[in-house]
Amino acid sequence: MSATSSLETAANLLTAWGFPVAKRTGWASKKARTDIAFSPSGVIFHHTAAWTTTDALLFDTGNGKIKAPLCHWSIDRDGRITLGAGGYANHAGINSKAAVAKILAGADAEVKPGPDDDGYSANRYTVGIEVKCPGAYNEAQRKAAVALGAALVIAFGWDKARVPAGAHKEITRRKPGDPGDDMGAFRAEVRALIKTKTAPPPKPAPKSAQVTVLVANCQSYDGDCSEAAWRARAQLMAKSSPDVILVQETTDPGRKAMCDELGKGWSYHSNGKSVAILIGPRVKKAGLKRTVSFGTAFGHGAVKLPLKVDGVGFDAISQHTRPASILPDKIEIQLKNGDVAKGATLAGTWPAIFGGDFSLNDPRIAGWIRATPKFDSVDRPGPQSPDAIFTKGSKVKLESAKLIDPGNLSDHKWVVATFTVSA
Ligand SMILES: [Zn+2]
């Protein structure tokens, strides 16, 4: 990239950062010499020794002894920045070669120059900046100068950690106090600004949402199917503020009554038989329902719905595995695990929440974890833990779980759990 295009890039950066930058007409072709190539690898800051120095003197006329341009950029008393030359500029005069090397290599503390080397000038290696002031930069000038230094380092692709920026007083003993600023501190400010301006944008926190899921086997086979009983179940369900209810042993009129009782925004999605998913107003259906049937007359099976809460997607599956009462003993466990595996296959690629009455105390499903504890959820001798929630994927995390006793509204206790699901 040519020096002029890098200078242009620096001007654009400064504008983007909110600094007022002017480009003088014809700046790109302005140069003090045509016999020396200008290929800068650093920048030298100056002061003009007066508040009143004009851009016309700096860029057009020179000071009577030295031919203009006398710098590439100027900074006014109010911090306004002007780009006035794109080629070789007479800003540094004769300098100490070792001191210039130190500046170009990136110095920490202020560089103390040795004597000038005859015929050696930093002009061909450095961009020159004249700040219009008699001593040290004022606050607006300092801010503008630091920003200009940072913009040049970025635009030219110079070392961001060892910024090649120095002052006239650091490369020659002829110019003490040019400028009055401490250049060690100045360079630290330039480095800090570059860091801010080139820091990668912070990664947005992964989107996540909390979702409360209730597993409710709603009745024993000879349970109360009255509308009043369904409404009473819904009233109890509402107490845990669920977003999703995975129900088993329900009927269509029963589900209708429960959604009506749960209130506005509730809907149900069944396997056409006794298994269903009830979703509340926070929850949006985000795909097609899928079901599997386990081939019993009663309608044991599973239903899946892709859902979204606060824009975060997950699959919810409600399952009712065949109970022992209708299975021959020897193949019971095998068949039940087959049912569970079938239900699990409904899950897609999203995080998945798989709950229900598994009719097994300890179903094993490859790739899934039992998220809820082994609650004793059925009134039969010995610990009975068929009601559970399994999860798949690292993006669904259990926050809390508890057991609810619905009394004579069901012969199962209900499991309610809150999850954090991440996108
Ligand atoms: Zn100077």
Side-chain angles (χ1 to χ4, degrees):
M1 211 192 271
S2 71
T4 47
S5 68
S6 296
L7 293 169
E8 178 104 52
T9 301
N12 293 340
L13 278 173
L14 289 163
T15 304
W17 297 346
F19 288 87
V21 180
K23 285 181 267 186
R24 295 188 99 229
T25 307
W27 70 270
S29 56
K30 231 171 223 303
K31 56 185 83 171
R33 294 179 71 146
T34 51
D35 57 330
I36 300 176
F38 174 55
S39 54
S41 49
V43 51
I44 296 296
F45 287 86
H46 304 257
H47 76 334
T48 57
W51 295 114
T52 50
T53 313
T54 63
D55 283 343
L57 178 142
L58 293 173
F59 298 118
D60 299 332
T61 63
N63 61 11
K65 292 175 281 182
I66 307 168
K67 188 178 185 296
L70 303 179
C71 58
H72 299 94
W73 305 77
S74 70
I75 296 177
D76 282 300
R77 189 169 185 166
D78 61 3
R80 272 180 303 143
I81 302 167
T82 300
L83 174 56
Y88 188 100
N90 283 318
H91 63 93
I94 300 301
N95 311 113
S96 155
K97 192 173 179 177
V100 172
K102 275 185 193 167
I103 295 300
L104 295 182
D108 285 327
E110 203 159 272
V111 172
K112 303 286 172 218
D116 291 342
D117 290 285
D118 267 358
Y120 179 83
S121 172
N123 284 342
R124 76 166 75 184
Y125 310 110
T126 54
V127 173
I129 296 165
E130 285 289 357
V131 180
K132 299 169 186 175
C133 65
Y137 302 164
N138 70 22
E139 202 182 321
Q141 291 173 327
R142 173 84 170 210
K143 238 180 128 183
V146 166
L148 178 48
L152 289 169
V153 170
I154 294 168
F156 278 92
W158 298 330
D159 192 328
K160 294 181 175 67
R162 313 265 320 147
V163 296
H168 205 181
K169 65 175 174 181
E170 293 182 294
I171 58 169
T172 178
R173 291 176 175 175
R174 296 178 291 108
K175 296 284 183 178
D178 181 7
D181 297 60
D182 178 285
M183 293 310 289
F186 183 92
R187 279 186 283 271
E189 284 174 44
V190 172
R191 286 193 298 267
L193 185 63
I194 291 169
K195 221 173 189 174
T196 325
K197 296 299 184 188
T198 57
K203 276 189 190 154
K207 225 169 147 187
S208 68
Q210 284 218 336
V211 58
T212 296
V213 179
L214 172 64
V215 170
N217 184 320
C218 283
Q219 58 173 142
S220 58
Y221 291 118
D222 53 356
D224 189 345
C225 282
S226 68
E227 178 166 340
W230 291 116
R231 288 190 179 274
R233 291 183 185 103
Q235 284 167 16
L236 181 62
M237 289 169 175
K239 285 185 182 170
S240 343
S241 307
D243 299 300
V244 176
I245 308 175
L246 309 175
V247 293
Q248 300 80 40
E249 295 199 45
T250 57
T251 61
D252 214 46
R255 296 186 283 261
K256 214 169 272 175
M258 287 194 289
C259 283
D260 184 56
E261 187 67 32
L262 283 161
K264 202 169 180 284
W266 279 89
S267 62
Y268 66 90
H269 310 266
S270 80
N271 72 338
K273 297 280 179 68
S274 61
V275 183
I277 301 174
L278 277 53
I279 61 173
R282 277 186 72 220
V283 184
K284 306 273 169 281
K285 202 173 156 235
L288 291 179
K289 176 174 87 175
R290 285 184 60 205
T291 63
V292 286
S293 169
F294 305 146
T296 67
F298 186 79
H300 294 96
V303 52
K304 176 196 92 161
L305 267 189
L307 299 173
K308 277 193 174 179
V309 172
D310 299 341
V312 179
F314 64 97
D315 284 333
I317 306 170
S318 181
Q319 163 103 5
H320 194 185
T321 304
R322 278 175 278 193
S325 52
I326 61 165
L327 284 172
D329 283 351
K330 280 181 186 165
I331 56 166
E332 180 189 321
I333 300 285
Q334 195 187 335
L335 275 172
K336 285 180 177 179
N337 271 316
D339 286 356
V340 176
K342 262 190 205 168
T345 60
L346 291 176
T349 53
W350 278 2
I353 295 173
F354 180 24
D357 174 359
F358 291 95
S359 297
L360 278 167
N361 285 333
D362 196 18
R364 294 297 166 95
I365 331 168
W368 294 74
I369 59 153
R370 185 179 187 128
T372 52
K374 283 191 170 182
F375 291 126
D376 188 3
S377 61
V378 185
D379 285 331
R380 274 204 300 268
Q384 305 289 330
S385 54
D387 300 280
I389 301 176
F390 284 73
T391 59
K392 196 179 79 168
S394 58
K395 290 175 175 171
V396 51
K397 186 174 150 262
L398 179 75
E399 300 295 347
S400 63
K402 65 173 182 176
L403 205 59
I404 293 167
D405 187 351
N408 59 10
L409 294 170
S410 173
D411 61 357
H412 283 246
K413 292 191 177 77
W414 295 345
V415 174
V416 62
T418 297
F419 297 92
T420 297
V421 186
S422 308

